Amino acid sequence: MAQAKKSEKSLTHLLIEDGLVNEEQLVEALQKKRETGKSLARTLIEIGFVSESKLTEVLARHLGLQFVDVASYRIDMTAVALLDEKMAQRHLAIPLSFEGDSLVVALADPTNIFALDDIRMTTGHVVRPVVATKSDIEDAIRIYYHEAAEVGAEDINDFDSSEMDDKELAEAIGAATTDEPMVRFVNYVINEAVTSGASDIHFDPQEKEILIRYRVDGVLHDVKSLPAKALASLTSRVKIMSDLNIAERRVPQDGHYEKLVAGRPIDFRVAVLPTVFGEKIVLRVLDKSSILLRLNDLGYDGETLSRYEESFLRPNGAILVTGPTGSGKSTTLYATLNVLNDETKNITTVEDPVEYRLPGINQIQINTKAGLTFSSALRSILRTSPDVIMVGEIRDLETAQIAVESALTGHLVFSTLHTNDAPGAITRLTEMGIEPFLTASGIVCVLAQRLGRRLCACRQPYQPEQELLDRLGFDPKAAARASFFRHNPNGCGRCSGTGYKGRVALVEIMKMSPEIELLTIEGASTADIKNVAVEQGMKTMRQDGWDKVMQGLTSIEEVLRVVI
């Protein structure tokens, strides 16, 4: 009893010290606590004076323990498997990862010595407790135990379709909606992939197995496999989820699927492709929360952001974003539209497909079968008096021509193009058939970008050889002042041992100057245009990468991996 009163006094002191509650609120909460018999912490949360996460964070700091946001933590499924569901629920605890020989376990009450001893004896590992909110742990237990049941070997044997004729295959496909082991397995893979921060989920059929791979921070990782005999049941399940033709196995198909994962709405773009060993399936994970990213979050800062803002805050002109598939072009454009989006502007986009729904913006989905193409949609958009137009991709001459002419007639136009760098967009438009004088007059600026992996907090300081820095083109004065970091080869629980967590954009921005306009009209080469742009202050993607290396955001190896 005395210990409880001491803890309560400590809690009240911490809350007032941190400014989370005032004395009047505290008096009201203590009165309510006496009436209900609940703890002070629970009473404060229920009244609404303080959030559960903030209160838990304060308590963790008071105990000298780490507070963890379980929803964004990359949980190691091997660690989860060490503790059964009943014990996890009894102690409100979930294993997160390994740190050497220690097991990192999130608990709602890390002072529960009996729980810590129980977990240590059950798992056989030294337990390092961290603190998380009760609701986050309950959500994690539901996701990783209820929905993440692995398919057993005896269940896999039921998936054999190698000897099926068409009638038997149809019956198996029809049963896919109620095939509980495969339903659970697909849900498990999706939940684990999203929690791991994957951007793609690949089901790759091989001769004797189905490889399951996640693309995390731009790099594919093998995570598990299934016997090849499970392919028919797997593809049928995914097709049913994404409303595809389950009987068609000879041609590629594209679909769409939505699911709540850990309380977040996630869209999945599904692609099915016939291969010699069966149908390959790729689920592209589209997290709707990423459309709320700001340009600063993507790696646009300082001079780079200023140069870009000067261009997109103009009332008219065309702005192109270039780069290969998966380089973050659409995310950059969405972040830009979020800046421009207000009640004074009529903003319309034409996309294939519409990846994210943006409130307050008119979005058009391309439908080539119905005759709705980029060019036909653009012509119609221009009759609706738009202020800002975003064209998902310039694929042909007609679309390019309408986009450039729209920029010349008072509209601000955004679009994407596939080129290796920013100067290459000029020659690419000329090759497509756009008159050089139209390009010179209509284009305001061109961005090129790549996505590199961001160093995790477990990064390691080191000093690279001066010869390497000279060879790579580092500014000697800047390099002398910089602290260099490389990824930790052992990683940590947060980055699942990779040393990298998240991504950062490496950007180059070429603004259309009078000199570059003249070179465009004269049909100059990409190299000539690039030389002039660099002389006028354009920072190349590699130079931007070196700046981010010296800021400690990424590593030299990562820049060399993603930038030509």
Side-chain angles (χ1 to χ4, degrees):
M1 182 65 73
Q3 182 65 36
K5 287 189 175 295
K6 181 180 178 182
S7 299
E8 189 171 290
K9 286 181 181 178
S10 299
L11 174 61
T12 58
H13 178 74
L14 286 168
L15 292 172
I16 292 176
E17 189 180 75
D18 281 22
L20 294 177
V21 296
N22 55 41
E23 291 187 6
E24 291 80 6
Q25 291 173 325
L26 196 56
V27 169
E28 182 182 340
L30 288 169
Q31 177 63 34
K32 186 78 172 175
K33 171 189 177 298
R34 283 191 289 270
E35 294 172 2
T36 62
K38 296 180 180 179
S39 68
L40 177 59
R42 181 52 50 189
T43 304
L44 286 165
I45 293 168
E46 289 181 355
I47 295 176
F49 287 161
V50 63
S51 69
E52 183 184 6
S53 60
K54 195 65 182 175
L55 182 62
T56 308
E57 191 173 348
V58 169
L59 290 171
R61 190 168 68 249
H62 174 57
L63 294 168
L65 297 174
Q66 179 187 356
F67 173 75
V68 169
D69 180 5
V70 173
S72 61
Y73 199 96
R74 288 172 63 174
I75 296 176
D76 187 337
M77 292 301 296
T78 308
V80 174
L82 292 176
L83 198 67
D84 65 51
E85 181 185 355
K86 288 183 179 178
M87 186 175 291
Q89 289 176 333
R90 182 166 68 249
H91 297 313
L92 275 180
I94 187 164
L96 300 178
S97 60
F98 296 97
E99 284 191 5
D101 294 330
S102 300
L103 180 67
V104 181
V105 181
L107 297 103
D109 180 11
T111 63
N112 188 339
I113 297 173
F114 298 107
L116 293 171
D117 285 344
D118 206 1
I119 294 170
R120 177 178 56 79
M121 293 177 65
T122 302
T123 62
H125 287 269
V126 175
V127 176
R128 185 173 83 79
V130 296
V131 187
T133 65
K134 177 175 177 285
S135 58
D136 276 358
I137 290 176
E138 288 174 338
D139 287 342
I141 290 172
R142 186 180 67 254
I143 290 168
Y144 287 98
Y145 290 105
H146 286 193
E147 299 179 18
E150 289 266 19
V151 180
E154 68 279 3
D155 295 320
I156 290 294
N157 292 330
D158 296 335
F159 299 151
D160 194 348
S161 60
S162 56
E163 303 296 330
M164 289 183 181
D165 58 27
D166 288 343
K167 181 179 178 181
E168 291 171 326
L169 181 61
E171 290 174 354
I173 288 172
T177 53
T178 56
D179 189 349
E180 188 176 343
M182 185 53 73
V183 170
R184 290 202 315 268
F185 181 77
V186 173
N187 285 340
Y188 159 65
V189 168
I190 288 174
N191 286 325
E192 185 189 46
V194 172
T195 307
S196 300
S199 59
D200 306 309
I201 306 169
H202 292 247
F203 297 96
D204 291 340
Q206 305 296 313
E207 186 175 6
K208 296 181 180 179
E209 62 181 348
I210 306 164
L211 287 180
I212 301 173
R213 305 195 287 172
Y214 302 157
R215 187 184 297 278
V216 180
D217 295 333
V219 178
L220 276 171
H221 302 275
D222 289 352
V223 289
K224 52 182 60 69
S225 65
L226 283 176
K229 63 179 71 174
L231 185 60
S233 184
L234 173 66
T235 54
S236 299
R237 176 59 194 158
V238 174
K239 286 179 181 179
I240 287 169
M241 290 163 49
S242 48
D243 198 24
L244 297 178
N245 183 351
I246 57 178
E248 179 57 73
R249 292 175 288 159
R250 298 164 297 177
V251 297
Q253 296 187 67
D254 296 315
H256 176 76
Y257 169 61
E258 296 182 7
K259 179 178 170 63
L260 275 175
V261 180
R264 290 151 46 204
I266 307 290
D267 283 351
F268 297 90
R269 277 170 51 189
V270 182
V272 180
L273 184 69
T275 72
V276 291
F277 294 122
E279 291 177 294
K280 172 186 171 71
I281 303 169
V282 178
L283 279 68
R284 185 174 180 191
V285 182
L286 303 174
D287 187 348
K288 292 184 178 180
S289 63
S290 66
I291 66 171
L292 302 176
L293 289 176
R294 298 169 299 173
L295 289 165
N296 307 68
D297 300 325
L298 300 174
Y300 286 76
D301 54 13
E303 183 186 353
T304 301
L305 182 58
S306 298
R307 287 170 66 88
Y308 185 35
E309 284 181 336
E310 288 174 8
S311 301
F312 73 70
L313 292 178
R314 291 170 47 117
N316 63 284
I319 296 173
L320 301 179
V321 183
T322 75
T325 301
S327 60
K329 301 187 296 297
S330 296
T331 304
T332 295
L333 289 181
Y334 282 135
T336 307
L337 292 182
N338 281 331
V339 176
L340 297 173
N341 189 16
D342 61 47
E343 67 277 5
T344 66
K345 293 186 179 68
N346 176 16
I347 303 177
T348 305
T349 74
V350 51
E351 307 170 59
D352 183 24
V354 174
E355 294 186 356
Y356 301 103
R357 274 65 170 176
L358 301 171
I361 293 178
N362 310 294
Q363 295 176 272
I364 299 172
Q365 168 72 57
I366 290 301
N367 187 344
T368 52
K369 292 181 180 177
L372 183 61
T373 61
F374 278 112
S375 55
S376 64
L378 264 176
R379 282 193 294 269
S380 299
I381 288 171
L382 293 173
R383 293 193 286 269
T384 63
S385 185
D387 298 299
V388 180
I389 302 170
M390 187 188 96
V391 184
E393 183 182 346
I394 291 178
R395 296 178 179 175
D396 53 50
L397 172 59
E398 190 176 8
T399 304
Q401 194 144 8
I402 298 172
V404 173
E405 289 175 354
S406 300
L408 291 169
T409 54
H411 304 93
L412 184 60
V413 180
F414 295 90
S415 190
T416 67
L417 201 62
H418 288 283
T419 62
N420 288 327
D421 56 12
I426 304 298
T427 51
R428 174 72 180 127
L429 289 174
T430 303
E431 289 170 0
M432 292 178 73
I434 300 296
E435 292 292 342
F437 72 89
L438 289 177
T439 301
S441 305
I443 302 297
V444 173
C445 83
V446 183
L447 286 74
Q449 72 176 46
R450 300 288 189 277
L451 290 179
R453 290 182 292 175
R454 190 185 291 264
L455 286 170
C456 180
C458 65
R459 64 189 184 177
Q460 296 177 334
Y462 83 116
Q463 182 57 45
E465 296 289 337
Q466 187 60 45
E467 180 187 350
L468 174 65
L469 298 180
D470 294 339
R471 181 156 46 87
L472 294 177
F474 276 83
D475 180 348
K477 292 181 180 178
R481 298 192 301 269
S483 298
F484 288 88
F485 293 87
R486 61 186 170 195
H487 79 283
N488 183 344
N490 298 317
C492 64
R494 186 168 178 78
C495 61
S496 297
T498 64
Y500 295 95
K501 174 70 174 176
R503 304 176 84 181
V504 62
L506 312 181
V507 188
E508 69 181 27
I509 299 180
M510 185 188 77
K511 297 185 69 175
M512 187 64 79
S513 65
E515 292 78 12
I516 294 177
E517 285 184 18
L518 183 61
L519 288 173
T520 302
I521 294 170
E522 292 174 348
S525 67
T526 298
D528 291 337
I529 295 173
K530 182 174 183 177
N531 290 336
V532 171
V534 170
E535 288 173 5
Q536 295 179 345
M538 182 186 83
K539 186 195 300 183
T540 66
M541 277 184 287
R542 180 166 284 197
Q543 289 169 337
D544 188 50
W546 298 150
D547 286 349
K548 288 181 168 68
V549 166
M550 289 186 282
Q551 294 169 28
L553 297 177
T554 189
S555 65
I556 291 176
E557 295 81 7
E558 190 63 13
V559 175
L560 293 174
R561 184 181 72 86
V562 299
V563 179
I564 298 172

